[in-house]
Amino acid sequence: MANAPHGGILKDLVARDAPLHDSLKAEASTLSDITLTERQLCDLELILNGGFSPLESFMNQADYENVVDTLRLADGAIFAMPITLDLSKEDIETKNIKPGARIALRDPRDDVALAIITVQDIYQPDKVKEAINVFGADDPAHPAVAYLRSKVKDYYVGGKIQAIQPPTHFDYVALRYTPAELRSHFAKVAWRKVVAFQTRNPMHRAHRELTVLAARQRQANVLIHPVVGLTKPGDVDHYTRVRVYEAIMAKYPNGMGHLALLPLAMRMAGPREAVWHAIIRKNYGATHFIVGRDHAGPGKNSQGKDFYGPYDAQDLVTKYRDELQIEMVPFQQMTYVPSRDEYQPRDEVPKGIETLDISGTELRRRLKTGAPIPDWFSYDAVVKTLRESYPPRTKQGFVLFLTGLHNSGKDAIAKALQVTLNQQGGRSVSLLLGDGVLPELDESFSRKDAEKSKDLQRLAYVAAELARAGAAVIAAPIAPKAASRDTIKETVLQSGGPGGKFFTIPVNTPLEYCEATDRQGFYNSARQGKLSGVVGVDVVYEAPERAELVVDITQQSIPEIVTRIVLLLETNALV
Ligand code: ADP
């Protein structure tokens, strides 16, 4: 393979001098340390394994400024992305970080020391300039600019890195390769020409056709090289995507393609990102690299316009063509031509011929509603995998949150609902009655106590986890305070994944009725001063201002209320 880079400092170090590796490990335990961010962890992995070659460390000021200004390291080698170890002033002061200091860099997931950096310099970046030069605008609609503004600390630390060990992964281990491993795999299977395909999205038939066409054009094999580090916020999670990639590999002619995962933290920097991706793929042993339409595009800016032109990435890669040591395979948008049952680059489709496309938004809509996804667009195995991760609403979890006074009828409604939803089937149903679940969550809880906000928070956590796993959750605490109800709702909505549906249903039965029919005597005891903390007597019930549905057992029968709640679920396409 032409211009194979070194195997990364980790490989050199471990192979060359194993005792040194042990002594570094011992030394790390005596040093001041930094727990890496998730992005720094991805960057460090590729520094260590040679994926960022010729870069062997987090950038010092000279490299950083050169890269930001000219896409070159200080020694003139082309490199498109600043790779920096950002730290706060507090870190620098409390950890005594200064030139010459040796600092252990730890994996945030398991606290293992992965490397030691010998600090060369500490410098303050011009973040506005970084945003404009690298990402094209200082506009927080760009995910990397938002990250730069809100997450990146104020100081960057450069210095030589010594490797201790690579980060440990537990997922898809067999599909993870270092550059050296992938190059030796290509040597083993005698692949001389390899077209690499970068992706952060599920692959469908267009992508399979695109990569096969590239292979045919260049008489090469195909490396499917998806990013499994950080991608654009909101992207399909990498577990789902890897299952999709595994399914699509079966659609390639036998032996033509190979799947390997790349632990890269993308920046969505379009043109610069494409140059960076090309360098990385060269390091992994590819001879060719596909750049299609809107490569690594971040979407729209705050004026609603695209940050980059659809082929800007191809133009920038072309500009550095002679130095990159990997050949770009440019593509126009691949589009489906029904009359030929084939995908073709848009610029090759004769005028007047019908073409079909399904946008990302439309695909998400079809997944959400369960609408069909046609064969010309994807493969059954791919669609099945996506549907498992993005179940239609009828399979998604939700929380029905009944709040109201003691003896307002909310428990009776909740139990009747549980029976009705069990009868309907399709989901597991969880009933979280205040009296039933709160003592389970808090051993000091007594039925004589008022609900504590901490207990309600625990209940919210359980409800959120159950809904996220697809359950129909019926929660019925008293929850008299607006603030704690808001926190419960937020906990469920922020739990992510399918299951973020939350319905507040106040059971507004008047206090007089609740009191008159209270066979347990709570109100009576409270009135006689024997019990305190009884909502409606000495604790105010703050009536909800916003609710999806308000019910009252003095106005409607329980079967009527259940019907109204089922209709609410139906209106939201959940049943
Ligand atoms: P990203 O470019 O952010 O990794 P994708 O995973 O969507 O996003 O795309 C991977 C590569 O495939 C990019 O080079 C992109 O331009 C190209 N690509 C994706 N879909 C098409 C298509 N329909 N036609 C041509 N190129 C495409």
Side-chain angles (χ1 to χ4, degrees), residues 9-10 12 27 32 155 161 193 262 266 314 316 322 375 400 402 413 429 449 463 469 479 508 511 540 559:
I9 52 182
L10 179 81
D12 289 352
E27 185 192 349
S32 223
Y155 292 85
I161 283 179
K193 289 201 260 174
L262 181 66
M266 284 182 73
Q314 295 180 359
L316 197 67
D322 296 339
D375 285 351
L400 292 169
L402 303 172
I413 298 168
V429 181
D449 289 341
N508 233 359
L511 175 63
V540 177

Side-chain angles (χ1 to χ4, degrees), residues 197-201 207 266 292-293 295-296 332-334:
F197 180 67
Q198 139 78 27
T199 182
R200 46 170 261 271
N201 281 313
H207 308 105
M266 284 182 73
R293 191 184 178 282
H295 186 96
Q332 287 250 329
Q333 169 113 19
M334 291 292 274

Side-chain angles (χ1 to χ4, degrees), residues 46-301:
L46 286 163
I47 289 172
L48 295 182
N49 74 15
F52 284 167
S53 178
L55 188 72
E56 292 195 343
S57 59
F58 287 107
M59 289 177 181
N60 60 25
Q61 188 165 11
D63 281 333
Y64 167 74
E65 287 177 355
N66 258 278
V67 166
V68 170
D69 287 335
T70 68
L71 282 86
R72 289 179 190 282
L73 297 168
D75 68 5
I78 179 163
F79 206 90
M81 196 59 61
I83 304 297
T84 51
L85 180 63
D86 59 295
L87 296 178
S88 65
K89 189 155 193 252
E90 193 196 344
D91 270 337
I92 289 169
E93 283 168 3
T94 58
K95 303 197 170 174
N96 204 14
I97 295 176
K98 56 184 182 213
R102 285 167 69 69
I103 312 290
L105 303 180
R106 292 191 181 272
D107 188 323
R109 303 163 306 167
D110 55 15
D111 207 37
V112 168
L114 304 176
I116 295 175
I117 182 167
T118 305
V119 177
Q120 183 192 352
D121 55 3
I122 302 164
Y123 54 101
Q124 253 189 304
D126 178 343
K127 288 191 185 175
V128 173
K129 182 176 176 189
E130 182 177 329
I132 293 171
N133 285 20
V134 179
F135 305 115
D138 185 25
D139 180 343
H142 191 300
V145 175
Y147 188 93
L148 186 61
R149 285 190 182 191
S150 66
K151 301 249 171 74
V152 171
K153 303 291 189 311
D154 289 337
Y155 292 85
Y156 292 175
V157 172
K160 192 170 157 28
I161 283 179
Q162 288 169 290
I164 299 175
Q165 65 173 81
T168 307
H169 295 286
F170 295 100
D171 55 336
Y172 307 115
V173 180
L175 296 175
R176 294 175 184 268
Y177 294 77
T178 66
E181 286 167 350
L182 202 53
R183 278 183 276 118
S184 64
H185 175 79
F186 295 154
K188 180 175 175 182
V189 291
W191 285 11
R192 251 180 16 88
K193 289 201 260 174
V194 181
V195 188
F197 180 67
Q198 139 78 27
T199 182
R200 46 170 261 271
N201 281 313
M203 287 174 69
H204 302 286
R205 203 173 141 193
H207 308 105
R208 189 262 182 207
E209 301 303 306
L210 170 84
T211 49
V212 170
L213 188 57
R216 220 186 293 146
Q217 285 175 359
R218 299 302 198 274
Q219 294 293 295
N221 290 90
V222 175
L223 169 67
I224 303 299
H225 207 199
V227 171
V228 295
L230 298 179
T231 64
K232 196 174 154 191
D235 279 349
V236 173
D237 68 274
H238 83 275
Y239 300 105
T240 305
R241 288 191 288 115
V242 176
R243 292 197 294 273
V244 163
Y245 304 138
E246 286 181 314
I248 214 155
M249 291 316 291
K251 306 295 175 190
Y252 283 84
N254 188 258
M256 176 192 268
H258 191 70
L259 173 64
L261 310 182
L262 181 66
L264 178 70
M266 284 182 73
R267 308 320 203 234
M268 309 311 301
R272 278 215 189 214
E273 183 114 2
V275 172
W276 184 42
H277 287 176
I279 295 169
I280 297 166
R281 273 43 185 239
K282 177 209 61 181
N283 290 333
Y284 275 87
T287 54
H288 295 75
F289 177 57
I290 293 172
V291 181
R293 191 184 178 282
D294 192 29
H295 186 96
K300 306 267 186 228
N301 66 19

Side-chain angles (χ1 to χ4, degrees), residues 400-415 430-452 455-460 463 473-480 488 520 522:
L400 292 169
F401 180 61
L402 303 172
T403 156
L405 297 172
H406 168 69
N407 202 39
S408 59
K410 64 183 168 47
D411 286 14
I413 298 168
K415 286 179 192 163
S430 290
L431 182 62
L432 306 177
L433 297 181
D435 281 354
V437 74
L438 295 178
E440 297 289 341
L441 297 173
D442 175 4
E443 61 184 15
S444 70
F445 184 88
S446 145
R447 294 188 66 204
K448 294 199 174 60
D449 289 341
E451 294 163 350
K452 297 195 258 309
D455 289 334
L456 291 177
Q457 193 46 40
R458 290 180 178 131
L459 179 136
V473 182
I474 306 159
I478 298 173
I488 293 171
Q520 290 169 312
F522 271 95

